Amino acid sequence: MTEKILILDFGSQYTQLIARRTRELNVYSEIVPFYKIPEIDDSIKAIILSGSPFSVLEENALQVELDKIVGKKPLLGVCYGAQYLANYYGGNVQRSEKREYGKASLNAPLFDDPFFKGISDGSQIWMSHGDTITEIPEQFELLAGTESIPVAAFKSKEGAFDAPVYAIQFHPEVTHSLEGKEILSNFLIDIAGCHGNWTPASFVDEAVEDLKKKIGDQKVLMGISGGVDSTVGAELLHKAIGQNLICFFVDNGLLRKNEYEEVLHSYKDMGLNIVGVDASRRFWDELAGESSPEGKRKIIGRVFIEVFEEEANKLEDIVWLGQGTIYPDVIESISVHGPSVTIKSHHNVGGLPDKLNLKIVEPLRMLFKDEVRKVGAELNIPGHILNRHPFPGPGLGIRILGDITEEKVKMLQEADDIFIKNLKKHQLYDKVWQAGTMLLPVQSVGVMGDERTYEKTVALRSVNSLDGMTAEWSKLPHDFLAIVSSEIINNVKGINRVVYDISTKPPATIEWE
C-alpha cells in the first residue's frame, strides 16, 4: 500500500505547492477539501492543514473537525492551519495591524527538535498572513519566532496528544523559504516516518498493476494528440493491456506542418494500436465564415466529438474511454467552498463518455505535469514527444485571427514551421516553454524587388513559464529573429511583415485568442 500525506485544502493559492514539494521528496500526497476528511487508515502517514485566504476570526471561517484527525497521525498546520489550531485549543489569534507579507528570518529555532534539524539560525522564510498568533494554547510549546512576530512555530507538548502536532505561521512550500524543503523533509521523514520511496518507477509499476485489475481483458478507446499527457497516458494503458487499447489521432486541419504524418509515425514506432483520421476538410468546411474565438472553439469541439463518435461506432466491444486528465484538472474541478459552488468544467472533451456510454479511465489523474514527463521518461517515450511545447487544443484555429480558410492554414503552417525549425537549429527550442506564430488580420504595404506589395503580417510569440499561469516573453537574440523574419518573408507567399510579441502574462495571454 502506497504511503501518503493527506493535505486538507482551505483554499490557499499555495496548496498545490505543498503537494508538489512533498512529492519532490518522493512522498506521495493527495489534496482533499477540508470538509471531505476520508477515513484515516494505515496508508496515511501524516496530515497537513493548508493556508487560506480566510481569517479564523471571521464568522464564515472554514471549520474542520479537528477531533477526527488530531492525535491520529502526525499533523502540521501551515499559516491558517496553525492559526486554526491555536484558536481551537484556546490560544489567542488577533488581526495584525498590517498584513505580514514577505521575507522574514527565523529567530532561535529549537535545534534539538527534529522539526528544525539542520536549519540555520536566521533562516529566511516567507510570510503571507493577516492574522497573528499572540499566545499559544497550554498544550503547546514555542519552537521559534521572527523579528516581527513572537510565534512563528510551535508544537504539542510531550503526551498532549497521541501523535505530535506542529504548527507554523510561514510557508515552507514556497522557494522564498530558503530551507523550507528541508523543514518539510524533517516533518515527513523524521517525524512522520515516511520512507520517501515514491518514484516514477514505483508509480509505473503500481499504475500498470491497478490498470490490469480495473480493466482486465476489456477494450479501451483513447483519443491522443501527440502531446505529453495523452501520450504518457496511452503508453501506461498500452503497458497494462497491450493491443486492447485502440487510439484515435484526428487531423482537424489545424495541426502544424506535417504533424499528422509525423505523430502517426512516432506512435506506430512505439507499438501503439493507432488509427489516423484525416478530417481536415470537414473542419475547414464547418469553420467557414466564423471569426469569433469562442465560435471557432465551439465548432472545433463539436466536430471533434462528431468525428470521434462516428469512428468509435465502427468498433465493437469498447467498454472504457481513456483520458489524459492530470492532477491540476482534478483539483480545479473541486470547490473548496462546498459542493453547491459552481466549479470549473472538466478540461477533456465534454459529452463523449455519455454519448458513447463508456466508463472513464484516467491513468494520470494523480500526477502533476512535471511528474507526467518523469513517468514518460521512465516509459522510454521519445524525447521529441516528451519535450514538446504545449499546443492549444484548437490548434492553429486560435492562431489565425479572424475567419479560417485552407489557404490561411497552409500559409501559417509554413511560417510557423520556419520559426520552430530555427528554434531547434539554434538550440533555443528547449530553452523556451512555448512558441508559435500568429496570422494577423492585418495587411500592410511592402516592397519586393521593384514592386509594391500589400500582404499579411505574422506575429512570433515565445514565452518562458513554469505552468502557463504566468509567462514572460522570451529574450530571443535579435540576430535569430532577423534570420526567422527573412526566411518567412522570402519563402512564404502572402506574408511581407513579421513582428515579435513582447507582452507578458498577465496582462496579455499566451495565445492571441
Side-chain angles (χ1 to χ4, degrees):
M1 183 185 295
T2 300
E3 59 183 22
K4 67 183 174 187
I5 303 301
L6 187 66
I7 301 170
L8 298 188
D9 183 19
F10 292 91
S12 168
Q13 61 179 326
Y14 299 135
T15 302
Q16 285 194 35
L17 267 184
I18 299 174
R20 291 174 69 90
R21 296 293 174 260
T22 67
R23 292 181 180 200
E24 286 169 8
L25 294 163
N26 296 332
V27 178
Y28 178 66
S29 59
E30 284 185 17
I31 298 171
V32 299
F34 68 94
Y35 59 85
K36 271 195 173 180
I37 301 173
E39 181 185 348
I40 309 300
D41 59 25
D42 291 340
S43 70
I44 296 174
K45 301 291 286 184
I47 301 166
I48 297 177
L49 308 182
S50 84
S52 176
F54 290 88
S55 164
V56 298
L57 302 175
E58 294 172 356
E59 281 187 29
N60 64 342
L62 307 182
Q63 308 282 328
V64 64
E65 297 178 78
L66 284 180
D67 294 341
K68 281 188 174 182
I69 52 177
V70 171
K72 302 286 174 59
K73 302 286 178 178
L75 183 111
L76 173 62
V78 176
C79 200
Y80 180 92
Q83 293 155 3
Y84 192 87
L85 285 164
N87 191 57
Y88 185 88
Y89 286 108
N92 197 326
V93 180
Q94 295 183 0
R95 295 296 293 174
S96 304
E97 290 185 9
K98 62 176 183 176
R99 180 175 172 80
E100 288 162 331
Y101 182 84
K103 298 172 185 175
S105 299
L106 278 177
N107 286 343
L110 254 65
F111 294 112
D112 60 345
D113 192 277
F115 190 75
F116 284 126
K117 183 185 77 174
I119 304 303
S120 315
D121 188 6
S123 181
Q124 178 181 299
I125 55 174
W126 185 259
M127 295 285 193
S128 179
H129 57 91
D131 294 342
T132 298
I133 300 167
T134 56
E135 185 182 338
I136 59 175
E138 62 179 26
Q139 305 99 312
F140 293 81
E141 59 184 334
L142 186 66
L143 285 181
T146 72
E147 67 276 14
S148 59
I149 59 170
V151 181
F154 58 102
K155 64 173 280 193
S156 58
K157 292 177 180 175
E158 191 74 34
F161 305 103
D162 290 339
V165 177
Y166 284 81
I168 51 179
Q169 280 208 100
F170 59 92
H171 289 273
E173 68 274 20
V174 301
T175 53
H176 299 301
S177 292
L178 298 184
E179 295 177 301
K181 198 169 176 181
E182 288 78 3
I183 291 171
L184 282 174
S185 176
N186 289 342
F187 176 72
L188 297 172
I189 308 300
D190 295 352
I191 294 166
C194 295
H195 293 92
N197 55 9
W198 189 72
T199 63
S202 69
F203 173 83
V204 169
D205 290 343
E206 192 169 320
V208 168
E209 283 306 307
D210 287 347
L211 290 169
K212 283 179 179 175
K213 288 177 189 170
K214 177 186 263 188
I215 298 167
D217 59 0
Q218 295 173 329
K219 289 183 180 178
V220 178
L221 180 61
M222 186 169 185
I224 48 182
S225 65
V228 176
D229 300 339
S230 64
T231 303
V232 175
E235 185 63 11
L236 267 178
L237 282 163
H238 179 245
K239 199 172 174 66
I241 63 171
Q243 294 301 298
N244 275 348
L245 170 68
I246 299 108
C247 300
F248 282 169
F249 179 47
V250 177
D251 184 356
N252 60 7
L254 303 167
L255 303 175
R256 284 181 154 143
K257 183 181 178 182
N258 299 327
E259 187 173 18
Y260 180 62
E261 294 79 12
E262 289 169 2
V263 169
L264 271 181
H265 183 70
S266 294
Y267 283 149
K268 285 174 180 172
D269 284 350
M270 289 167 59
L272 291 179
N273 185 2
I274 179 87
V275 177
V277 183
D278 184 355
S280 51
R281 178 70 53 194
R282 180 165 171 181
F283 278 87
W284 294 335
D285 289 345
E286 293 276 357
L287 284 162
E290 179 60 62
S291 59
S292 84
E294 190 58 28
K296 290 189 288 187
R297 278 186 166 87
K298 285 181 176 174
I299 290 169
I300 293 165
R302 171 178 60 77
V303 177
F304 181 88
I305 290 176
E306 290 171 1
V307 170
F308 198 99
E309 186 180 10
E310 288 166 16
E311 293 297 322
N313 286 333
K314 297 175 186 177
L315 303 174
E316 295 181 351
D317 303 324
I318 304 292
V319 177
W320 298 86
L321 179 69
Q323 293 192 331
T325 313
I326 62 175
Y327 201 30
D329 304 318
V330 176
I331 296 166
E332 288 167 9
S333 68
I334 301 170
S335 169
V336 77
H337 303 289
S340 63
V341 176
T342 302
I343 58 176
K344 179 181 175 181
S345 60
H346 200 284
H347 86 296
N348 279 302
V349 180
L352 266 178
D354 293 335
K355 278 178 175 286
L356 299 173
N357 195 27
L358 300 177
K359 297 187 283 185
I360 295 177
V361 58
E362 299 167 313
L364 308 176
R365 67 177 280 111
M366 303 312 289
L367 295 185
F368 289 105
K369 187 78 170 187
D370 54 328
E371 294 168 338
V372 174
R373 292 188 196 275
K374 289 174 185 173
V375 167
E378 184 66 32
L379 291 165
N380 296 315
I381 289 173
H384 70 271
I385 293 179
L386 274 190
N387 300 321
R388 186 176 185 248
H389 287 176
F391 189 64
L396 301 182
I398 56 168
R399 292 185 176 178
I400 296 171
L401 276 64
D403 68 316
I404 294 168
T405 65
E406 181 180 356
E407 179 191 14
K408 288 181 182 178
V409 169
K410 291 185 175 175
M411 187 185 299
L412 181 55
Q413 283 176 333
E414 294 296 333
D416 182 73
D417 189 56
I418 290 169
F419 185 28
I420 298 302
K421 278 184 174 172
N422 272 290
L423 283 169
K424 292 176 178 177
K425 177 181 174 182
H426 292 84
Q427 285 80 52
L428 292 168
Y429 185 86
D430 292 332
K431 294 180 181 177
V432 302
W433 190 73
Q434 183 175 344
T437 310
M438 318 294 160
L439 183 65
L440 308 187
V442 172
Q443 288 182 292
S444 65
V445 174
V447 178
M448 288 192 179
D450 294 326
E451 295 183 7
R452 288 167 67 84
T453 62
Y454 192 61
E455 295 180 336
K456 294 188 179 299
T457 302
V458 291
L460 307 180
R461 178 76 158 141
S462 178
V463 298
N464 287 76
S465 177
L466 291 174
D467 52 15
M469 301 302 290
T470 61
E472 185 70 34
W473 61 276
S474 306
K475 312 299 190 287
L476 297 177
H478 293 175
D479 289 350
F480 168 79
L481 291 171
I483 290 168
V484 174
S485 174
S486 177
E487 279 195 36
I488 289 174
I489 290 170
N490 287 328
N491 291 283
V492 185
K493 186 173 174 54
I495 294 172
N496 70 352
R497 192 175 297 268
V498 176
V499 298
Y500 186 52
D501 182 350
I502 58 169
S503 313
T504 59
K505 178 186 179 181
T509 54
I510 294 175
E511 300 296 337
W512 279 43
E513 286 193 340

